[in-house]
Amino acid sequence: VGDPILVGTNIGSIPADTSLSLHSHLVIYTRSVLVEQTTPVSIHPADESCSIISIGFDDFDLDDGDIGGKVQWAVPSTSSEVTHYVVYLGGIGS
């Protein structure tokens, strides 16, 4: 935060435990050797997370070693910022 980020990079990092008590917005300026942008793009950061609180799976594929069916989950009421869900299959040690 505050350090220049090279052109071609579109990811920055805000250190963990950065207090929002003194900050209300996250702003990004463009800068060149000629000028720095005078009006930045800004957002109000949402300090929240949303985790799935329960999951269920009904396996309707009766073949040994295969699965297929409906996955269902419940989310807490603070899911207003969620835009997508992603379902993965994993294995032990993966």
Side-chain angles (χ1 to χ4, degrees):
V1 175
D3 294 327
I5 298 174
L6 296 175
V7 171
T9 303
N10 62 345
I11 297 174
S13 180
I14 298 173
D17 300 322
T18 299
S19 174
L20 283 176
S21 65
L22 301 176
H23 312 284
S24 63
H25 288 79
L26 175 65
V27 296
I28 300 176
Y29 292 85
T30 60
R31 185 190 312 180
S32 74
V33 294
L34 302 175
V35 69
E36 183 174 286
Q37 180 179 349
T38 58
T39 306
V41 174
S42 69
I43 63 168
H44 176 73
D47 189 18
E48 64 179 61
S49 66
C50 180
S51 296
I52 302 298
I53 56 176
S54 69
I55 187 168
F57 174 66
D58 297 321
D59 185 6
F60 297 117
D61 187 324
L62 301 179
D63 295 332
D64 187 36
D66 293 339
I67 61 172
K70 183 170 49 173
V71 178
Q72 297 176 317
W73 54 89
V75 297
S77 60
T78 60
S79 62
S80 63
E81 299 295 324
V82 175
T83 60
H84 297 80
Y85 296 99
V86 181
V87 177
Y88 293 98
L89 292 174
I92 296 174
S94 62

